[in-house]
Amino acid sequence: MARELVQLDTFPEYFQDFFVLEQEALSLYLFETRVIYGIFQTEDYARALFAGGYPVLSEQRIEELVEGRMARTVLFDRDPLPLIEFIVDEAALLRGIGSRAVMRAQYRHLIALAQRRNVTVQVVPLDCGFSGEHAGTSGGLALVETPRHERRVYMEQQDESLLLSNPAKVSLYSQRYAKIRAQALGPRESLGLIERLAGEQQ
């Protein structure tokens, strides 16, 4: 498992508890508004994100973080396969990270992942609602089902995190996620949108 291949202290402290949950999850329901969610990122996309952040990181630390992020992606091929659903705001897809070549490769990577049997990718379009409003404007979230069929909610903001297990709060965020899903494009339409974006990066 990934956590056996990479040291936990490779990751920021606020993320370490969730990393363990993520790698053991039976299902992951993910929503992101700002950037592509970590396990869906390419190396170059992740590297550009880390290099462009603050505080400024050394090249060595950037490579450590990229290595850790890529180690998380073994989740896609784990046995048993987890169910992974990713809903992304179109604004995150349009935000240029790195270069046109980096974004083209990132779109193609998303397309490939979306075609896996255990993965669904959906896009909340910019013209959702009458003026772009939708249930996810408060930010991203991750809903996790553990091997014991317990549910957790994880959220990040400005290098701080919140991991929730209170049933009432988990229920609230699960309902919010369901509303976001209902407002997103279907998987086939979403794939078409990402394919068009990949074509525009030629």
Side-chain angles (χ1 to χ4, degrees):
M1 191 169 289
R3 68 174 182 274
E4 296 169 352
L5 302 176
V6 63
Q7 296 294 319
L8 271 180
D9 59 10
T10 297
F11 300 101
E13 186 175 348
Y14 65 83
F15 182 76
Q16 292 174 12
D17 288 342
F18 179 71
F19 170 67
V20 176
L21 278 177
E22 180 187 66
Q23 293 301 305
E24 294 179 344
L26 295 180
S27 61
L28 280 170
Y29 298 92
L30 312 165
F31 172 63
E32 186 55 76
T33 62
R34 299 164 296 176
V35 296
I36 307 301
Y37 185 80
I39 61 173
F40 284 83
Q41 294 173 10
T42 64
E43 271 194 48
D44 288 339
Y45 185 97
R47 185 174 290 109
L49 278 179
F50 290 130
Y54 187 86
V56 177
L57 303 174
S58 68
E59 291 300 321
Q60 178 180 346
R61 181 56 178 155
I62 290 170
E63 292 308 312
E64 288 174 352
L65 289 169
V66 171
E67 180 183 352
R69 183 149 294 178
M70 294 303 103
R72 292 167 56 197
T73 65
V74 300
L75 185 62
F76 287 108
D77 297 305
R78 194 197 68 201
D79 186 18
L81 285 174
L83 178 65
I84 303 174
E85 185 174 285
F86 175 40
I87 304 176
V88 59
D89 194 303
E90 186 180 354
L93 295 175
L94 295 176
R95 177 167 292 108
I97 301 294
S99 67
R100 290 175 66 89
V102 168
M103 291 306 299
R104 181 170 61 249
Q106 178 63 70
Y107 295 140
R108 290 175 175 172
H109 185 58
L110 265 179
I111 292 165
L113 290 174
Q115 293 171 344
R116 288 175 173 244
R117 290 181 296 111
N118 63 317
V119 177
T120 302
V121 175
Q122 292 180 254
V123 179
V124 176
L126 290 178
D127 61 358
C128 174
F130 291 105
S131 55
E133 72 278 1
H134 59 81
T137 52
S138 296
L141 60 93
L143 300 170
V144 184
E145 182 185 4
T146 74
R148 295 184 176 183
H149 304 288
E150 299 165 335
R151 297 184 182 273
R152 302 285 185 268
V153 177
Y154 177 78
M155 294 176 287
E156 286 183 9
Q157 181 69 33
Q158 295 290 341
D159 297 335
E160 300 290 341
S161 67
L162 189 62
L163 185 59
L164 303 174
S165 59
N166 178 279
K169 290 186 177 181
V170 171
S171 176
L172 171 65
Y173 285 108
S174 297
Q175 292 172 46
R176 180 174 295 175
Y177 182 88
K179 181 67 173 178
I180 296 167
R181 182 198 284 136
Q183 294 174 311
L185 299 175
R188 183 175 297 179
E189 294 173 289
S190 297
L191 188 59
L193 187 155
I194 299 169
E195 288 172 340
R196 288 194 298 275
L197 290 175
E200 292 170 4
Q201 294 297 312
Q202 300 294 339

